[in-house]
Amino acid sequence: MTIQALAFDLDGTLVDSIHDLARAANAARADLGLAPLAQDTVESYVGDGAASLVARVLADDMAAEFDGSELQQQGMTQFNLHYRAGLTIATKFYPKVQETLHALHERGLPLAIITNKPERFTLPLLRELGVFEHFDVIIAGDTLPERKPSALPLEYTAEKLGVSLENMLMVGDSKNDILAAKNAGCPNVLVSYGYGDELEKMGADAIIHRFDELFGFLEE
């Protein structure tokens, strides 16, 4: 296996954003007269994009879906306002992420972001964190007609980067990341420190505990 490009999930993989997501989610709940949720509860609802997060947070139910009801529309509007106003109040890189991204970029390896987070949050977040220019392709949850676990974002990214899918490493923290990689035929790695649980059951090619362990997958 020769890795010629790397694609990364964002929340739970590159950055720990749960404090800001939970703050915005609970602020939206408060605006609608609802009591706050524990941060761990909000964390369990993350991974399928903002609409799913808002639906789950408002209902306090993992099975809730965004159906466009008046309450959900109000919740989405308030969540958008609160989250966009404080994307990086407490959001920070996980250990070794910033240095590793810089080193990979310096090596000339094509790098991509593939996240289910909407573009309206993804692009300004990357700019505020100072790593926007490191990425050759940025695919958010609403960039294409389909998002992870669909293979489409990975297929599109590989085409844009000019590499074969089997030579692009997908790095994430959740089931959606692994399913997308498997659906696309990409090698894949899970980080152990993110928002996913029961990692061993997800069937990733490998699990790493520190971000700089990625260098072990690259040929010197």
Side-chain angles (χ1 to χ4, degrees):
M1 180 178 66
T2 302
I3 300 303
Q4 298 174 342
L6 295 95
F8 303 101
D9 175 52
L10 183 55
D11 300 85
T13 301
L14 301 185
V15 298
D16 184 359
S17 55
I18 193 59
H19 301 287
D20 289 326
L21 287 168
R23 175 191 48 75
N26 278 323
R29 280 179 60 90
D31 291 341
L32 297 175
L34 301 172
L37 300 176
Q39 181 173 293
D40 286 349
T41 300
V42 178
E43 180 177 322
S44 72
Y45 296 154
V46 171
D48 291 303
S52 291
L53 175 61
V54 167
R56 293 165 181 172
V57 162
L58 292 181
D60 191 13
D61 182 358
M62 185 66 182
E65 297 182 359
F66 195 87
D67 58 17
S69 69
E70 184 177 351
L71 179 67
Q72 289 180 343
Q73 294 284 3
Q74 292 174 346
M76 178 62 76
T77 297
Q78 297 310 113
F79 176 79
N80 286 344
L81 289 172
H82 291 298
Y83 189 45
R84 184 62 188 87
L87 282 171
T88 55
I89 292 174
T91 293
K92 59 184 179 181
F93 290 105
Y94 287 107
K96 301 297 182 181
V97 167
Q98 202 166 7
E99 306 95 312
T100 302
L101 288 177
H102 180 72
L104 293 171
H105 181 66
E106 287 295 300
R107 287 190 184 192
L109 278 166
L111 306 178
I113 292 285
I114 303 178
T115 176
N116 283 347
K117 197 184 200 78
E119 278 191 359
R120 64 184 179 275
F121 303 136
T122 299
L123 302 183
L125 176 62
L126 292 171
R127 289 191 177 100
E128 287 184 27
L129 292 173
V131 294
F132 181 85
E133 301 300 331
H134 283 355
F135 300 102
D136 302 278
V137 174
I138 298 172
I139 304 298
D142 50 0
T143 304
L144 300 171
E146 298 174 13
R147 64 188 181 192
K148 298 178 297 185
S150 167
L152 179 62
L154 281 73
E155 293 168 346
Y156 180 88
T157 297
E159 181 180 354
K160 285 293 183 181
L161 295 178
V163 299
S164 299
L165 284 161
E166 58 266 26
N167 298 124
M168 185 177 76
L169 183 66
M170 179 68 209
V171 184
D173 73 310
S174 74
K175 188 174 183 178
N176 279 340
D177 299 312
I178 297 309
L179 287 175
K182 289 183 177 297
N183 289 335
C186 280
N188 51 84
V189 171
L190 275 177
V191 298
S192 65
Y193 52 73
Y195 304 147
D197 55 11
E198 297 185 315
L199 301 183
E200 290 77 10
K201 296 182 180 180
M202 294 186 195
D205 294 337
I207 297 175
I208 60 174
H209 306 291
R210 285 186 11 155
F211 196 75
D212 56 358
E213 290 179 55
L214 285 174
F215 289 118
F217 297 88
L218 307 176
E219 291 187 351
E220 297 295 335

